[in-house]
Amino acid sequence: MVLNKRKRSKSNKRRNLIAFSSPDSIISEQYRMIRTNIHFLIGDKTNNTLLITSPGKNEGKSTTTANLAISMAQQKEKVLLIDGNFRDPSIHNIFKVPNTLGLTDILTDKATFQEAVNISVIDGLDVLTSGSIPTNPVELLASQTMKSFLKNINSFYDFILIDSTSLLEVTDTKIIANISDGVILVVRQEKTNIESAFESKKVLEYAKAKIVGVILNEKR
């Protein structure tokens, strides 16, 4: 599989990307700490596909995923960030890249990976947006094509991070959790209630997902 990627985005303005705009900040250092902890927790670099999700909406999972991906790339990791949220995607807005082609288009044979992937302004970080909004998100995510896609690109990256819909909203995220090597749950102080956190743990266990850890996202 040859990776010939689309041209790099020229805009340097990115929303909520503090790991990029303020790499020396305390928050950026915390993302680097999370990255280090992930290395200790997962060990084997071949198990590198991680789903990052949250119990509900507005808990910071997409921003956390984006900044963690940047932090990994800044440490000379080769990273692919995938927007697996087919219902309300946001990664293209965060990185200010087009969403005309993306994961759904690859899964439906409307585009190749080489055509759909974006090289970000951060060296080592590639971004694959969600693509066209499908009518059958569950079927696409549960397809053999999705499993084969992740398997085929695995060896080209040190880490693959997948952003998704909130865990307790729809079935989509449970499917991705099952085919990922690990799951990181993002909870937000003063937003995520304890019942939702425990329910999320049960859902992930039922999906036979490996819970790598939990990130506490503080309310600002």
Side-chain angles (χ1 to χ4, degrees):
M1 185 178 184
V2 180
L3 302 185
N4 296 315
K5 307 182 188 71
R6 299 168 65 189
K7 66 180 181 180
R8 188 185 299 270
S9 172
K10 294 181 180 179
S11 175
N12 287 327
K13 294 182 178 179
R14 300 293 180 272
R15 180 168 64 87
N16 299 327
L17 299 183
I18 192 167
F20 174 62
S21 60
S22 302
D24 296 326
S25 66
I26 294 176
I27 296 177
S28 294
E29 178 59 34
Q30 291 173 339
Y31 280 117
R32 286 191 287 272
M33 186 180 299
I34 293 170
R35 167 199 165 273
T36 300
N37 289 341
I38 289 173
H39 271 281
F40 284 129
L41 288 168
I42 68 173
D44 187 357
K45 289 292 289 289
T46 61
N47 299 326
N48 64 352
T49 301
L50 300 176
L51 168 68
I52 301 179
T53 187
S54 61
K57 291 183 177 180
N58 302 317
E59 292 172 315
K61 64 176 178 54
S62 297
T63 300
T64 297
T65 306
N67 280 284
L68 182 57
I70 291 171
S71 180
M72 287 177 167
Q74 289 172 337
Q75 299 301 311
K76 308 304 180 183
E77 307 275 14
K78 185 64 177 173
V79 183
L80 175 64
L81 171 55
I82 300 176
D83 194 338
N85 187 341
F86 291 171
R87 299 173 190 268
D88 186 23
S90 62
I91 294 299
H92 65 287
N93 287 326
I94 293 175
F95 282 88
K96 302 300 181 187
V97 295
N99 193 27
T100 50
L101 293 176
L103 178 58
T104 60
D105 302 284
I106 294 173
L107 299 180
T108 54
D109 292 324
K110 294 178 181 177
T112 64
F113 178 74
Q114 294 92 331
E115 293 169 333
V117 72
N118 295 275
I119 304 176
S120 77
V121 296
I122 297 94
D123 289 338
L125 174 60
D126 294 341
V127 177
L128 181 63
T129 63
S130 64
S132 308
I133 301 297
T135 57
N136 58 338
V138 173
E139 288 81 358
L140 283 180
L141 292 171
S143 67
Q144 183 59 46
T145 304
M146 176 67 174
K147 296 176 183 177
S148 297
F149 167 69
L150 291 178
K151 181 179 180 180
N152 288 338
I153 62 171
N154 184 281
S155 62
F156 293 98
Y157 294 94
D158 296 310
F159 282 99
I160 299 171
L161 303 184
I162 305 177
D163 184 38
S164 69
T165 54
S166 301
L167 182 61
L168 300 182
E169 290 184 306
V170 290
T171 305
D172 308 21
T173 306
K174 304 178 187 67
I175 295 171
I176 304 176
N178 179 259
I179 61 176
S180 297
D181 296 313
V183 179
I184 297 174
L185 190 67
V186 176
V187 297
R188 186 164 189 147
Q189 185 176 340
E190 300 181 15
K191 171 68 176 178
T192 309
N193 60 57
I194 192 68
E195 291 81 8
S196 295
F198 277 115
E199 180 64 21
S200 296
K201 181 175 181 292
K202 291 179 181 178
V203 168
L204 290 172
E205 290 174 345
Y206 183 76
K208 297 181 180 180
K210 178 183 177 181
I211 304 174
V212 174
V214 177
I215 296 175
L216 176 61
N217 185 32
E218 293 186 357
K219 182 177 179 180
R220 297 183 184 180

